[in-house]
Amino acid sequence: MIRKMQLPLQTLNLVLGFMVWVILSSLIPYIKEDIPIATEQLAWVTAIPVILGSILRIPLGYYANLIGARKVFMISFILLIPPVYYISIANSLADLLIGGLFLGIGGAVFSVGVTSLPKYYPKEKHGFVNGIYGAGNLGTAISTFAAPVLAAKFGWSLTIQFYLIILAIFILINFFLGDKQETKMKAPLIKQIKGVYKNATMWQLCLFYFITFGSFVAFTIYLPNFLVANFGLEKVDVGIRTAGFIVTATLLRPIGGWLADRYHPLKLLMIVFAGLTFSAILLSFAPSIGWYTVGCLTIALCSGIGNGVIFKLVPTFFSKQAGVVNGIVSAMGGLGGFFPPLILATLFKFTGHYAIGFMALSEVALASLILVIWMYYKDKLGLANQVIDHTAEGVMVTDKHGKIVSVNPAFTKLTGYEGEEVLGKNPKMLKSGVHNKAFYQEMWATIENDGSWQGEIWNRRKDGKNYLEWLTISAIKNEAGEVEQYAGMFSDITDYKKNAKI
């Protein structure tokens, strides 16, 4: 029973963590009425919680494997109580920055669930499960919508103190309902990091999450103040619109994970980055509120689906180091939410608009699209190479001039020749002397006319012994119909033929 409760429990934990994480950005229109904050300082106040929320994701993902999600969530919520209270009594910019830094613990708990929950489900459900957990992003929508409403009635200070009560309740819930028997993994953190930090795939996933989750976080903390300053909207209206963005992205996250369980994740990411490129270009033209809404909702759709897809890929590529890789990838996503608001604020200060910032987003998204396409075809090629390397049949590939360019391990086993001994040479070196010139002329005439030849042929091993093989030679042509290479696949049938005669 306890095991079945972990998905809803940990998802609710993430909801609370994200609620706390965005307190400042949700209430900044009210806070700045009491605490003087310059326009260029607003971005720092709202972005500062992202710093610790990103960096701590790496150790929290690791400790989720080491001591279990139950303890990590409880400790995190206990540590959040002092900064939340401190912010509730803040009376200066310095108080907001200091307290806001430690609010990052709320965002850091994300890596706990994506590390813990896959232990409870089969691999084919990991995308959907992590997508459901990721829907805990909804906590940002709850704070963005509810906090301003409460602040209008009770004041922003008392509203923040309400969060203390919720944190205390969840500490008790995790104490009684968290899984004490969760499977633990005790590999040293440094050893796990050394095992993955040179892996190009991990850094590619970091880039993708930097953009998808980063755009989600950035727009979450950037929209409230932007909509008030640029379109003159009412604070409650701004809260509703921002919550709409968050809810859209959040609800699409499990859908992204579900789709990734059923379709090729890299194909889905192609669609995601194409959508982000289009929407960022649209926003760069500083459109009306109507078109601005279209652009923002498209970003919400793409970032939500993309977030779900990426955390299907992490355990697929890194099953043994899932904890630390989840932490690193999610940390990069968090940092993706830290830098854009600061860059946008700086650009606005010097140019008076945000066009350059949005155009930069479109260019990075376009570069990611190209990278995903490259990864997709590299993945397909890698799969083909694995099949060739592990097949029992010998494989030899030559260029169109008959020079050997590739052989597989089975070729070495069957002929005795290592790859470096035959590369660049002509397959004639394998001739047995059994067949006459007319045999080979007829074989190549068939390949030229039909594109392939198949039959029995005697060849000679490195040790000088002849053996009978079943050989298939195929001409590999380009799109223009011209032969680029020849591929031969063969197997030793000498013993088979002897037994057949007996």
Side-chain angles (χ1 to χ4, degrees):
M1 181 62 180
I2 291 292
R3 293 177 63 86
K4 291 182 179 179
M5 294 184 65
Q6 295 315 297
L7 178 57
L9 174 60
Q10 293 190 31
T11 302
L12 289 174
N13 286 336
L14 185 61
V15 169
L16 176 58
F18 273 56
M19 285 174 61
V20 175
W21 198 25
V22 297
I23 289 176
L24 287 176
S25 61
S26 302
L27 294 174
I28 198 65
Y30 294 90
I31 294 174
K32 68 181 184 179
E33 291 178 355
D34 295 330
I35 300 176
I37 305 173
T39 303
E40 63 271 16
Q41 294 171 331
L42 284 174
W44 281 101
V45 173
T46 55
I48 204 73
V50 179
I51 297 177
L52 202 61
S54 302
I55 297 173
L56 283 181
R57 288 183 174 192
I58 299 173
L60 260 61
Y62 168 74
Y63 280 107
N65 263 336
L66 187 66
I67 63 175
R70 172 178 173 269
K71 290 182 179 179
V72 177
F73 277 121
M74 288 173 57
I75 294 170
S76 298
F77 292 156
I78 291 171
L79 292 176
L80 277 170
I81 290 177
V84 170
Y85 177 73
Y86 183 71
I87 290 174
S88 73
I89 59 173
N91 54 27
S92 68
L93 174 63
D95 291 338
L96 296 177
L97 293 176
I98 295 171
L101 176 64
F102 292 98
L103 288 184
I105 298 171
V109 299
F110 172 80
S111 61
V112 179
V114 291
T115 300
S116 169
L117 289 172
K119 300 174 185 177
Y120 299 93
Y121 297 90
K123 191 173 183 179
E124 59 272 15
K125 291 186 178 181
H126 285 180
F128 183 62
V129 169
N130 277 338
I132 290 290
Y133 173 74
N137 289 348
L138 191 63
T140 57
I142 294 173
S143 276
T144 303
F145 174 72
V149 175
L150 292 173
K153 187 173 183 180
F154 301 104
W156 64 266
S157 180
L158 186 58
T159 298
I160 292 176
Q161 291 179 12
F162 288 153
Y163 285 78
L164 298 173
I165 300 172
I166 304 174
L167 284 168
I169 292 172
F170 268 78
I171 292 170
L172 293 174
I173 291 175
N174 279 277
F175 179 81
F176 290 108
L177 300 181
D179 185 8
K180 299 177 183 178
Q181 307 301 322
E182 179 182 337
T183 303
K184 312 295 194 305
M185 296 177 63
K186 297 185 178 180
L189 177 60
I190 299 301
K191 182 180 179 180
Q192 290 191 48
I193 292 177
K194 285 183 177 179
V196 298
Y197 82 97
K198 290 184 179 179
N199 190 300
T201 299
M202 185 194 74
W203 294 113
Q204 288 159 356
L205 294 177
C206 285
L207 172 63
F208 301 155
Y209 200 59
F210 181 90
I211 298 169
T212 57
F213 185 73
S215 61
F216 167 77
V217 175
F219 273 75
T220 297
I221 63 180
Y222 144 88
L223 280 175
N225 189 60
F226 175 83
L227 293 176
V228 171
N230 288 268
F231 294 106
L233 301 181
E234 295 296 327
K235 296 172 186 175
V236 175
D237 184 17
V238 166
I240 293 173
R241 288 176 180 270
T242 306
F245 173 89
I246 297 168
V247 169
T248 300
T250 299
L251 294 181
L252 285 168
R253 184 162 187 153
I255 294 176
W258 178 81
L259 289 171
D261 285 334
R262 286 156 178 77
Y263 304 101
H264 201 300
L266 293 177
K267 285 185 176 180
L268 294 172
L269 284 182
M270 292 180 201
I271 299 172
V272 164
F273 288 119
L276 286 173
T277 301
F278 163 78
S279 54
I281 291 175
L282 175 62
L283 293 177
S284 69
F285 287 99
S288 64
I289 186 65
W291 282 109
Y292 195 87
T293 301
V294 171
C296 285
L297 289 178
T298 303
I299 286 179
L301 184 149
C302 293
S303 64
I305 292 177
N307 291 337
V309 172
I310 291 167
F311 277 94
K312 165 66 176 182
L313 288 170
V314 171
T316 300
F317 286 114
F318 303 96
S319 58
K320 293 183 179 179
Q321 305 100 346
V324 68
V325 174
N326 278 325
I328 294 172
V329 172
S330 59
M332 292 301 294
L335 291 176
F338 173 72
F339 291 107
L342 300 178
I343 294 172
L344 284 171
T346 303
L347 289 172
F348 184 80
K349 180 180 179 181
F350 288 106
T351 65
H353 55 75
Y354 297 97
I356 298 176
F358 288 126
M359 189 58 72
L361 172 61
S362 72
E363 295 304 310
V364 175
L366 180 60
S368 297
L369 171 61
I370 295 170
L371 185 57
V372 169
I373 294 172
W374 176 79
M375 285 182 65
Y376 173 72
Y377 285 104
K378 179 186 175 184
D379 187 53
K380 289 183 67 177
L381 181 61
L383 179 61
N385 288 336
Q386 284 189 18
V387 172
I388 291 173
D389 286 344
H390 291 86
T391 185
E393 287 77 20
V395 176
M396 176 176 62
V397 180
T398 73
D399 62 18
K400 61 183 178 182
H401 302 297
K403 300 297 183 182
I404 299 173
V405 297
S406 177
V407 295
N408 72 341
F411 173 92
T412 298
K413 183 177 181 181
L414 292 169
T415 67
Y417 287 100
E418 297 291 339
E420 57 268 21
E421 294 181 276
V422 300
L423 293 181
K425 296 182 179 179
N426 193 290
K428 290 180 181 179
M429 63 183 296
L430 299 173
K431 277 188 176 182
S432 64
V434 174
H435 305 288
N436 57 27
K437 186 176 181 181
F439 173 86
Y440 294 105
Q441 288 177 335
E442 182 180 348
M443 180 180 74
W444 284 105
T446 302
I447 295 172
E448 184 176 349
N449 294 328
D450 301 338
S452 64
W453 177 89
Q454 190 175 66
E456 296 179 359
I457 185 172
W458 284 93
N459 270 336
R460 182 169 294 165
R461 294 189 178 92
K462 183 179 179 179
D463 61 9
K465 295 180 180 179
N466 289 344
Y467 70 99
L468 184 63
E469 68 182 31
W470 181 259
L471 173 65
T472 301
I473 300 178
S474 301
I476 302 173
K477 301 179 180 180
N478 60 23
E479 294 180 356
E482 300 171 338
V483 175
E484 292 286 335
Q485 293 177 322
Y486 295 97
M489 179 175 288
F490 62 94
S491 56
D492 186 349
I493 60 171
T494 308
D495 292 340
Y496 171 78
K497 281 292 185 179
K498 286 181 180 179
N499 293 333
K501 289 180 180 180
I502 294 175

